[in-house]
Amino acid sequence: MSRQTDPVRGLLALALATFLAIMIGWLLVIGKSILLPIVIAVLSAYVMANASSALGRWRPTAPLPGFVRRMILLLGFVVVILAFNGVVIVTVRDLMITAPAYQDNLERITTQALSMLGVAGNPDWQAVRAVTIDQIDMQGLIGMLAGSVGSLVGLLFMAVVYALFLTGEAGSFAYKLSVALPGQGQAAKTLDVIKDINTRIADYLAIKTLINMILGGLSFVILWLFGVDYALFWALIIGVLNYIPYFGSLLGVAFPVLLTVVQFGTIQATIAVAVCLTAAQMWVGNWLEPRMIGRKVNLSPFVVLVALSFWSAFWGVPGAILAVPLTSMLAIIFAAFEQTRPLAVLLANDVIEFERRPLQPPRLTGGSVEN
């Protein structure tokens, strides 16, 4: 009798898992406006907790209570967002004013290129141009870019509000968890998982942010030396997009390079800017980042690509930026439980970590996430 019921149970489990996956996907899409700020706030709280510990080891701020240190960091986060929003508003206003001049330069460059190729009067090329280049609306493109950046700033403001309340309740989280999970060391094991997430994800985000600041600074110097319009704005965009694995650096370079086409109207200037920005990206991506980040997140490159596609399909650009931290959090949670540990091994890039650190039984004492 049991042999007959085993396949039925397996099919039932598969059906329930499929239904659960569909429901989670539906909730991710429907609840995007609610879930995204919460996720950003949680990740920000992780970063601020580790940064608060770092401030606690710094002599001028060591005497301050942990709550005060976190409030200082949160205030700095708000100031950065306000400054970023101010740069966006001023840049978009100026871009809308200069958009007609960019449009004229694009038309002139296109006419010169077609004349050099000797196809300016060719009806076929004129038909192709009518449905391609002539359809480009610089003001419309600038408006779309401004809308995307503006929505991201709005999400960050909501995340600040959530992070404020999360920071205020951080001290009582360990006690709440012990009351919610009273039996057999479950609270201690959950705290251990949270501490592992806190250590690995917060370190990754903090170091990645520092790397992006360095890249943004280098990009600003390059753009400023070449006289590219709105160098600060494009440097900020390059820094933000570098959170996206693999493709973010390409998009970050593409935007200012395309601007040089319509600003300078010469292919030499565009090539020079592209080469310099690409060199900065290659130095950061191939030399600086591997040495600073190392193995903070143990995910295989294929898993990173799949995660990038998955989260960007549900949450767009913010999902692409959060793909690595969210997937790494899932991998840490999978690794903590015997039933899901094989999934964590499949997600990992280096399985030696699992061989060196076998699954441990729940401990009766656990640390607090309070810093």
Side-chain angles (χ1 to χ4, degrees), residues 226 265-273:
F226 278 97
T266 60
I267 193 64
Q268 293 86 353
T270 299
I271 293 176
V273 172

PDB file of all heavy atoms in Angstrom, residues 226 265-273:
ATOM      1  N   PHE A 226      37.226  65.623 -20.436  1.00  0.00           N
ATOM      2  CA  PHE A 226      36.794  65.692 -21.833  1.00  0.00           C
ATOM      3  C   PHE A 226      35.716  66.752 -22.052  1.00  0.00           C
ATOM      4  O   PHE A 226      35.326  67.004 -23.196  1.00  0.00           O
ATOM      5  CB  PHE A 226      36.260  64.333 -22.297  1.00  0.00           C
ATOM      6  CG  PHE A 226      37.337  63.374 -22.705  1.00  0.00           C
ATOM      7  CD1 PHE A 226      37.802  62.420 -21.824  1.00  0.00           C
ATOM      8  CD2 PHE A 226      37.905  63.424 -23.973  1.00  0.00           C
ATOM      9  CE1 PHE A 226      38.798  61.519 -22.191  1.00  0.00           C
ATOM     10  CE2 PHE A 226      38.899  62.546 -24.357  1.00  0.00           C
ATOM     11  CZ  PHE A 226      39.352  61.592 -23.464  1.00  0.00           C
ATOM     12  N   GLY A 265      29.604  65.855 -31.779  1.00  0.00           N
ATOM     13  CA  GLY A 265      29.412  65.674 -33.214  1.00  0.00           C
ATOM     14  C   GLY A 265      30.627  65.141 -33.934  1.00  0.00           C
ATOM     15  O   GLY A 265      30.712  65.237 -35.155  1.00  0.00           O
ATOM     16  N   THR A 266      31.594  64.581 -33.206  1.00  0.00           N
ATOM     17  CA  THR A 266      32.790  64.002 -33.830  1.00  0.00           C
ATOM     18  C   THR A 266      33.002  62.594 -33.291  1.00  0.00           C
ATOM     19  O   THR A 266      32.877  62.357 -32.080  1.00  0.00           O
ATOM     20  CB  THR A 266      34.039  64.846 -33.553  1.00  0.00           C
ATOM     21  OG1 THR A 266      34.251  64.921 -32.132  1.00  0.00           O
ATOM     22  CG2 THR A 266      33.871  66.258 -34.114  1.00  0.00           C
ATOM     23  N   ILE A 267      33.359  61.691 -34.176  1.00  0.00           N
ATOM     24  CA  ILE A 267      33.566  60.308 -33.778  1.00  0.00           C
ATOM     25  C   ILE A 267      34.834  60.152 -32.947  1.00  0.00           C
ATOM     26  O   ILE A 267      34.934  59.257 -32.100  1.00  0.00           O
ATOM     27  CB  ILE A 267      33.603  59.398 -35.030  1.00  0.00           C
ATOM     28  CG1 ILE A 267      33.491  57.926 -34.634  1.00  0.00           C
ATOM     29  CG2 ILE A 267      34.867  59.661 -35.831  1.00  0.00           C
ATOM     30  CD1 ILE A 267      32.196  57.540 -33.995  1.00  0.00           C
ATOM     31  N   GLN A 268      35.835  61.027 -33.149  1.00  0.00           N
ATOM     32  CA  GLN A 268      37.090  60.932 -32.403  1.00  0.00           C
ATOM     33  C   GLN A 268      36.859  61.141 -30.902  1.00  0.00           C
ATOM     34  O   GLN A 268      37.390  60.390 -30.072  1.00  0.00           O
ATOM     35  CB  GLN A 268      38.111  61.951 -32.922  1.00  0.00           C
ATOM     36  CG  GLN A 268      38.601  61.696 -34.337  1.00  0.00           C
ATOM     37  CD  GLN A 268      37.681  62.304 -35.396  1.00  0.00           C
ATOM     38  OE1 GLN A 268      36.608  62.815 -35.071  1.00  0.00           O
ATOM     39  NE2 GLN A 268      38.120  62.241 -36.646  1.00  0.00           N
ATOM     40  N   ALA A 269      36.078  62.162 -30.561  1.00  0.00           N
ATOM     41  CA  ALA A 269      35.808  62.435 -29.146  1.00  0.00           C
ATOM     42  C   ALA A 269      35.023  61.292 -28.515  1.00  0.00           C
ATOM     43  O   ALA A 269      35.284  60.895 -27.372  1.00  0.00           O
ATOM     44  CB  ALA A 269      35.042  63.753 -29.013  1.00  0.00           C
ATOM     45  N   THR A 270      34.071  60.749 -29.261  1.00  0.00           N
ATOM     46  CA  THR A 270      33.273  59.642 -28.732  1.00  0.00           C
ATOM     47  C   THR A 270      34.135  58.421 -28.460  1.00  0.00           C
ATOM     48  O   THR A 270      34.017  57.779 -27.407  1.00  0.00           O
ATOM     49  CB  THR A 270      32.158  59.285 -29.733  1.00  0.00           C
ATOM     50  OG1 THR A 270      31.299  60.425 -29.914  1.00  0.00           O
ATOM     51  CG2 THR A 270      31.340  58.114 -29.229  1.00  0.00           C
ATOM     52  N   ILE A 271      35.025  58.106 -29.384  1.00  0.00           N
ATOM     53  CA  ILE A 271      35.914  56.942 -29.204  1.00  0.00           C
ATOM     54  C   ILE A 271      36.843  57.155 -28.013  1.00  0.00           C
ATOM     55  O   ILE A 271      37.075  56.240 -27.207  1.00  0.00           O
ATOM     56  CB  ILE A 271      36.717  56.684 -30.487  1.00  0.00           C
ATOM     57  CG1 ILE A 271      35.779  56.227 -31.617  1.00  0.00           C
ATOM     58  CG2 ILE A 271      37.801  55.646 -30.238  1.00  0.00           C
ATOM     59  CD1 ILE A 271      36.477  56.043 -32.945  1.00  0.00           C
ATOM     60  N   ALA A 272      37.374  58.359 -27.872  1.00  0.00           N
ATOM     61  CA  ALA A 272      38.292  58.641 -26.766  1.00  0.00           C
ATOM     62  C   ALA A 272      37.594  58.480 -25.416  1.00  0.00           C
ATOM     63  O   ALA A 272      38.140  57.863 -24.485  1.00  0.00           O
ATOM     64  CB  ALA A 272      38.863  60.051 -26.913  1.00  0.00           C
ATOM     65  N   VAL A 273      36.374  59.024 -25.293  1.00  0.00           N
ATOM     66  CA  VAL A 273      35.628  58.898 -24.044  1.00  0.00           C
ATOM     67  C   VAL A 273      35.295  57.428 -23.769  1.00  0.00           C
ATOM     68  O   VAL A 273      35.425  56.938 -22.638  1.00  0.00           O
ATOM     69  CB  VAL A 273      34.349  59.747 -24.095  1.00  0.00           C
ATOM     70  CG1 VAL A 273      33.461  59.464 -22.874  1.00  0.00           C
ATOM     71  CG2 VAL A 273      34.686  61.226 -24.156  1.00  0.00           C
TER      72      VAL A 273
END
